[in-house]
Amino acid sequence: MDIARTPATPDGNPEMADAAIQPKAPPEIRREDYKPFPWLVPTIRLTFDLALDKTRVTARLEIERNPAAEAERTIRLNGDGLQLESLSCDGNESTDYRMDGDDLLVTLPGERHSLEIVTVIDPSANSQLMGLYASGGMLCTQCEAEGFRRITFFPDRPDVLSTYTVRMSGPKALFPVLLCNGNRTDQGEEGDTHWAKWHDPWPKPSYLFALVAGDLVARSDSFTTINGRKVELNVYVRDGDLGRTEHAMESLKRSMRWDEEVFGREYDLDLFNIVAVSDFNMGAMENKGLNIFNTKYVLADPETATDGDYDGIEGVIGHEYFHNWSGNRVTCRDWFQLSLKEGFTVLRDQLFSAQMGSAPVKRIEDVRVLRGVQFPEDSGPLAHPIRPDSYREISNFYTATVYNKGAEVIRMMRTMAGEEAFRRGTDLYFERHDGEAATCEDFVRAMEDGADLDLAQFRLWYSQAGTPKVAARLTHEGQTATLTLTQTVPATPGQPDKQPMPIPLSLALFDRESGNHAGDELVVLDSETAQFSFDGFATRPVLSINRGFSAPVSIDRDVPRDELVFLAARDDDPFARYEAMQELMTGYLVGSVSGELDDAERDAARGDIAQAMRAVIEDSALDDLMRGELMVMPSQAYIAEQMLIADPGSIHAAREALKADVATRLADPLHALYERAVQVPFALDAEAKGARKVKTLALSYAAAGDPATASGLAAQQYDRADNMTDRQGALMVLAGLDSAERTGRLLDFYNRYQGNALVIDKWFALQASSLHPHAIEHVKSLREHEDFALRNPNRVRSLYMAFASNPGAFHSADGEGYRMLADLILELDPINAQTAARFVPALGRWRRIEEGRAELMREALQRIAEAPKLSRDTYEQVTRSLG
């Protein structure tokens, strides 16, 4: 799914990194240069003699010339830090080869050959966590994007599809469970060693290869497909974690049924395995029949997992399972087509999660992620289209643009086509390209033919970066309302001039007096400016636009504040109502920080916000899950995105002041809401989850308005909690307060869950993301804590990603936060380049920050760039961020 590599550090050892020669300008790989690989590898047989520190891999490749490619006598087999033990061609030891860097080049005179390659690797030294590596005494793999080359020499590219047969052997005491892709065909024992054979009948690229060997236990179940195939299901975990796997198994079965019912996709093997791994760079990986997961997205029970954790597990398990067709059976031709599988699969997991839970809330959550991560990416130095034109390190393009914006682009096709026609388009796509390595263009063409759409202009969404901005102006004369829409697509690096794109916008026009409208309408803005007229309005209607977030754009609508209050209280589209609340608060905060509002205007705006919030709190027709979304204030990052140049300190102060003002004005209804929510007993249904959500939100408002009272209530909630959601919510509020209750509950939380890595990750993150005035000092102290582990990506992210997402601490005016993050990146890069590179974008936003902080951020980036031996992952991120 998301893999990085350090080219000159074969085992990730920092000492070896010091001796490596780091190229300062990694080569640029361009989409336009794609050529089919000159050789096919129809089959590969792998034999693994497994050991933690010395694994021998024997690979037998049956190869033949590719008639669709230019003929070449030499085959390039990619490698990365491999020790070549022997090479034979057609049964004879070969000497007709040479090394080109880490790659093995073999000269082949004929049309068909059999190559046997023996390599030796050290999984225990592989801190990069790609290829075959050791994790807590077990062996596992991560091969996307370019990790298979760390296992054996092979054409490690997604358009080389092979059927795999694998034999694994190792000490039974150390590796009692041996797993691989496909179906197990045989197994046995030879003294203290045992072995297993696996065969995957479906051709796949090397990035989908997976292997796991370790001491594991399984929750087992089965699923009968729509055509009667009985599939064995297993969720493998370490002993002691089995009790926390029920939700994962149920999520898998729901995913399998949903994919049959909604997309007509049936599972195609006799076995489906999931394995939870503690050391993993990303969330999970969709390897054919053997999904490897970060433990974070498998393990859950009410005592240790929040409601958000439960939702995340269901969504990620669905995502990886849905890849079986949108990614595995149909894979991507090259890495420029990454959104072909990821954008489509993200949409599929979003639709699944929406159906399993609250569809309105899920839509709002998805948009919040898009705006919080992808919109800043689109407006910064790392902006790129969902189908990039070039890259230096592919791991840097596993981005919110490729995933989340890619999903929105396909969702727009679904919106324009309608659900039934969209299904015809996806059926045609799977039918045409089953067993192939396809392109984004193949998907678009299938949608055109199957859904009867003209997508000629729509293709610009694949090639143009940047978030379109749509200005909406509504005028009224006589009985007619006229809507004028104007779009601009801002310049981005390498793309100074943009063309107008088709933008589907769902809208409704409300009668102000009755609060009703005549129904939703879909208009498509496909030019720079267009006008749309609507008759039958004696008075000027109220415009609700981009309902359901029908297009991933920014809307600039010049509407009076009273209309936003109206929509926040009465809009029947849940997202549009949420949007009105967000716009009401964001407009006030931007105006307040920029000095555009005088005292009277600020007071009036605060009153309107409180009025709208009161309507939300007291609306008996709302369920609490949706009420919670409407009560959430816009994030500081989102507010900053609405400003040309942002002052993080001023935004933070203004946002906290508004929160305190709302808390003071609405003290009684907020307290009543809290008391009502407290009475709802624990359950995993929507009512109870909603009660827990508004309970913590009410506490967070109280913390801004009356810290002493909030501290007491939060401590009481913590002490009485019978689930992690309530306990973590209370501790989140306490972590931001300077009180005795804070200190005692943080210590209790640590002592209560010491030894549970996932919960201790929460303990680190709560403190790093807190509003406490000394949060930056807390992060420094936690960095020295005995439970902090630089080599575990979950632990590093729990502390430093939470810190980098905490504007009040990270943007400390003296630049200390920037220096701390730069120190981390430099220390982590030789150990785990992929994880290190993920932290660079937090510094890359310097152009949008006020001058003093901007210079300090730029200096931190420059210090990283001047390091002598950067991985190409981090090098590319830093140099692009500096410009």
Side-chain angles (χ1 to χ4, degrees):
M1 174 172 284
D2 186 13
I3 291 301
R5 74 186 186 101
T6 308
T9 56
D11 63 357
N13 187 304
E15 294 180 2
M16 291 193 70
D18 289 340
I21 299 174
Q22 169 61 44
K24 269 296 183 184
E28 182 179 44
I29 300 170
R30 301 183 300 174
R31 181 167 58 88
E32 65 182 21
D33 295 336
Y34 170 82
K35 293 180 180 179
F37 194 65
W39 296 90
L40 303 177
V41 187
T43 63
I44 176 174
R45 293 180 176 272
L46 295 169
T47 301
F48 288 86
D49 295 319
L50 299 170
L52 289 173
D53 56 356
K54 184 179 181 181
T55 288
R56 177 173 281 100
V57 184
T58 302
R60 186 179 184 88
L61 284 58
E62 304 299 328
I63 61 176
E64 58 188 53
R65 291 193 183 276
N66 184 356
E70 296 179 9
E72 290 187 15
R73 291 189 60 203
T74 299
I75 185 170
R76 176 179 289 271
L77 303 174
N78 304 118
D80 184 0
L82 296 174
Q83 177 185 335
L84 177 63
E85 192 168 273
S86 67
L87 168 66
S88 64
C89 180
D90 300 325
N92 301 310
E93 184 176 352
S94 176
T95 58
D96 198 2
Y97 73 89
R98 63 185 176 87
M99 299 299 298
D100 181 15
D102 278 340
D103 291 351
L104 175 66
L105 276 61
V106 184
T107 302
L108 301 171
E111 299 292 316
R112 290 179 176 81
H113 295 279
S114 179
L115 286 180
E116 185 171 283
I117 306 164
V118 180
T119 56
V120 176
I121 52 180
D122 182 357
S124 66
N126 184 0
S127 67
Q128 299 291 337
L129 308 186
M130 57 180 181
L132 179 66
Y133 65 92
S135 173
M138 63 184 289
L139 294 176
C140 58
T141 57
Q142 172 58 44
C143 293
E144 187 177 357
E146 296 177 338
F148 192 75
R149 64 188 61 188
R150 295 172 66 90
I151 296 173
T152 189
F153 292 102
F154 193 79
D156 190 10
R157 44 188 285 169
D159 60 345
V160 177
L161 277 62
S162 312
T163 56
Y164 283 67
T165 301
V166 178
R167 186 186 191 277
M168 312 158 58
S169 64
K172 186 175 182 179
L174 190 60
F175 307 126
V177 173
L178 301 173
L179 304 173
C180 198
N181 304 94
N183 297 317
R184 183 170 44 230
T185 59
D186 200 3
Q187 58 185 332
E189 298 184 17
E190 299 169 354
D192 294 335
T193 298
H194 72 144
W195 55 269
K197 289 184 178 180
W198 293 78
H199 177 64
D200 185 353
W202 302 101
K204 64 175 179 282
S206 56
Y207 81 83
L208 289 174
F209 173 77
L211 174 156
V212 173
D215 189 359
L216 299 165
V217 293
R219 176 181 292 273
S220 299
D221 207 327
S222 65
F223 178 84
T224 302
T225 71
I226 196 169
N227 286 315
R229 176 195 290 269
K230 187 174 182 180
V231 181
E232 178 187 341
L233 309 178
N234 295 293
V235 177
Y236 284 94
V237 294
R238 296 187 185 280
D239 192 20
D241 287 335
L242 200 60
R244 294 192 283 160
T245 58
E246 180 181 3
H247 179 64
M249 179 62 79
E250 293 304 311
S251 297
L252 174 58
K253 291 191 291 185
R254 285 191 291 269
S255 301
M256 298 177 80
R257 181 64 65 208
W258 183 89
D259 209 17
E260 291 181 342
E261 294 173 350
V262 177
F263 280 90
R265 299 298 104 194
E266 182 180 11
Y267 188 61
D268 51 11
L269 289 169
D270 300 329
L271 183 65
F272 190 94
N273 289 322
I274 289 174
V275 180
V277 178
S278 300
D279 300 295
F280 205 67
N281 279 337
M282 293 300 293
M285 180 61 208
E286 71 267 19
N287 321 292
K288 185 74 178 180
L290 178 57
N291 286 188
I292 300 178
F293 272 66
N294 191 315
T295 51
K296 176 180 173 64
Y297 293 106
V298 172
L299 305 179
D301 61 19
E303 174 63 21
T304 60
T306 65
D307 294 336
D309 293 331
Y310 273 87
D311 291 344
I313 289 169
E314 184 172 65
V316 174
I317 282 181
H319 179 96
E320 306 307 336
Y321 175 76
F322 301 147
H323 264 312
N324 186 62
W325 278 90
S326 51
N328 297 1
R329 286 284 289 262
V330 183
T331 194
C332 47
R333 185 195 71 180
D334 54 71
W335 292 121
F336 298 103
Q337 318 298 328
L338 184 59
S339 195
L340 172 77
K341 72 182 185 80
E342 295 299 350
F344 187 21
T345 305
V346 168
L347 173 64
R348 278 151 55 72
D349 83 53
Q350 290 176 351
L351 296 174
F352 166 69
S353 294
Q355 190 169 326
M356 295 300 105
S358 168
V361 169
K362 175 58 178 170
R363 187 65 184 133
I364 290 169
E365 290 173 346
D366 292 338
V367 174
R368 186 181 293 123
V369 170
L370 188 81
R371 287 174 166 170
V373 183
Q374 197 280 320
F375 276 21
E377 192 170 85
D378 242 353
S379 64
L382 302 178
H384 57 277
I386 64 172
R387 185 188 58 200
D389 293 318
S390 66
Y391 64 81
R392 296 186 186 276
E393 170 52 58
I394 184 54
S395 68
N396 289 332
F397 281 90
Y398 284 73
T399 61
T401 296
V402 167
Y403 280 67
N404 303 79
K405 186 175 180 178
E408 295 297 328
V409 168
I410 299 175
R411 186 187 287 265
M412 284 190 290
M413 296 186 208
R414 183 173 181 264
T415 297
M416 293 186 295
E419 292 184 21
E420 290 185 9
F422 181 75
R423 168 65 188 272
R424 290 196 298 271
T426 60
D427 283 350
L428 183 60
Y429 167 69
F430 290 128
E431 178 185 336
R432 282 180 176 175
H433 302 291
D434 186 11
E436 293 182 1
T439 66
C440 293
E441 175 60 27
D442 291 328
F443 182 87
V444 174
R445 192 176 297 116
M447 293 306 303
E448 283 183 316
D449 296 343
D452 194 25
L453 290 174
D454 180 358
L455 298 174
Q457 185 185 4
F458 190 86
R459 285 169 169 80
L460 290 168
W461 280 100
Y462 281 88
S463 59
Q464 292 189 160
T467 303
K469 302 183 185 301
V470 176
R473 300 293 180 262
L474 185 71
T475 57
H476 178 261
E477 185 174 350
Q479 296 287 315
T480 301
T482 301
L483 177 63
T484 302
L485 299 175
T486 303
Q487 69 162 294
T488 56
V489 187
T492 53
Q495 293 186 339
D497 301 310
K498 307 293 177 68
Q499 300 177 52
M501 300 191 291
I503 299 174
L505 294 168
S506 176
L507 59 89
L509 295 170
F510 280 84
D511 177 77
R512 188 187 301 269
E513 296 301 321
S514 67
N516 298 323
H517 63 84
D520 287 18
E521 297 200 37
L522 184 69
V523 301
V524 178
L525 174 63
D526 57 7
S527 57
E528 185 176 338
T529 301
Q531 285 190 336
F532 304 88
S533 296
F534 308 91
D535 295 325
F537 294 96
T539 59
R540 186 180 186 276
V542 178
L543 172 66
S544 172
I545 192 169
N546 207 19
R547 293 162 70 80
F549 200 71
S550 56
V553 300
S554 294
I555 301 289
D556 172 18
R557 52 177 175 177
D558 186 15
V559 297
R561 202 165 57 240
D562 67 304
E563 292 191 2
L564 291 177
V565 174
F566 171 91
L567 293 170
R570 306 181 69 171
D571 202 320
D572 61 342
D573 180 272
F575 174 78
R577 187 174 182 182
Y578 163 83
E579 184 78 324
M581 282 294 297
Q582 293 288 295
E583 196 168 338
L584 193 61
M585 291 185 280
T586 301
Y588 164 76
L589 290 166
V590 171
S592 180
V593 170
S594 64
E596 296 173 4
L597 302 178
D598 59 28
D599 290 344
E601 290 171 323
R602 281 199 296 271
D603 187 63
R606 289 195 297 267
D608 287 342
I609 291 168
Q611 177 188 338
M613 188 71 76
R614 180 185 293 272
V616 167
I617 294 172
E618 297 178 348
D619 186 348
S620 60
L622 278 175
D623 63 74
D624 279 340
L625 281 172
M626 186 63 202
R627 193 187 321 278
E629 293 300 325
L630 294 172
M631 290 174 62
V632 171
M633 292 187 66
S635 70
Q636 186 165 326
Y638 180 71
I639 298 163
E641 278 297 303
Q642 313 312 306
M643 308 179 73
L644 186 61
I645 299 295
D647 181 340
S650 298
I651 294 174
H652 178 72
R655 186 177 183 275
E656 290 307 301
L658 175 60
K659 192 191 299 182
D661 184 81
V662 170
T664 301
R665 292 175 187 254
L666 302 180
D668 290 340
L670 282 168
H671 182 72
L673 176 66
Y674 183 82
E675 290 300 317
R676 175 180 63 76
V678 166
Q679 304 307 313
V680 180
F682 176 81
L684 290 174
D685 58 23
E687 179 187 5
K689 289 169 70 175
R692 291 192 288 275
K693 187 175 188 175
V694 297
K695 188 165 33 176
T696 293
L697 275 167
L699 268 184
S700 68
Y701 274 102
D706 186 357
T709 299
S711 184
L713 281 175
Q716 185 178 74
Q717 176 173 311
Y718 179 94
D719 294 340
R720 295 178 177 177
D722 59 357
N723 62 88
M724 178 54 72
T725 304
D726 278 347
R727 182 167 286 118
Q728 178 175 293
L731 194 61
M732 180 269 293
V733 172
L734 287 170
L737 301 174
D738 196 4
S739 66
E741 290 90 346
R742 173 191 185 275
T743 303
R745 291 348 181 258
L746 279 171
L747 180 59
D748 175 82
F749 191 91
Y750 177 80
N751 290 334
R752 183 187 297 253
Y753 297 108
Q754 189 175 10
N756 186 317
L758 293 179
V759 183
I760 296 302
D761 285 342
K762 299 178 190 295
W763 183 77
F764 275 87
L766 283 168
Q767 296 174 79
S769 61
S770 82
L771 296 174
H772 197 283
H774 301 303
I776 197 166
E777 298 303 321
H778 297 158
V779 173
K780 290 181 181 179
S781 176
L782 289 166
R783 174 63 177 81
E784 302 304 317
H785 194 279
E786 63 181 356
D787 283 346
F788 182 80
L790 193 64
R791 289 175 178 262
N792 181 268
N794 280 1
R795 189 55 47 85
V796 174
R797 286 189 292 260
S798 72
L799 181 61
Y800 281 97
M801 200 62 80
F803 171 63
S805 302
N806 181 355
F810 179 62
H811 289 291
S812 173
D814 61 2
E816 182 64 15
Y818 312 144
R819 291 190 289 272
M820 287 168 58
L821 197 65
D823 289 343
L824 169 76
I825 293 168
L826 289 169
E827 184 179 10
L828 185 60
D829 186 62
I831 298 171
N832 188 326
Q834 178 196 359
T835 302
R838 295 290 180 197
F839 289 97
V840 175
L843 295 168
R845 301 291 295 157
W846 61 274
R847 291 176 180 83
R848 297 288 301 276
I849 302 295
E850 57 84 16
E851 185 177 356
R853 289 180 173 88
E855 179 59 23
L856 294 169
M857 295 171 80
R858 195 192 65 77
E859 288 176 1
L861 283 168
Q862 190 62 48
R863 179 159 64 91
I864 299 169
E866 291 171 356
K869 299 176 180 65
L870 283 182
S871 70
R872 72 183 191 189
D873 308 65
T874 301
Y875 176 86
E876 180 179 28
Q877 293 284 74
V878 171
T879 53
R880 289 178 64 202
S881 295
L882 284 168

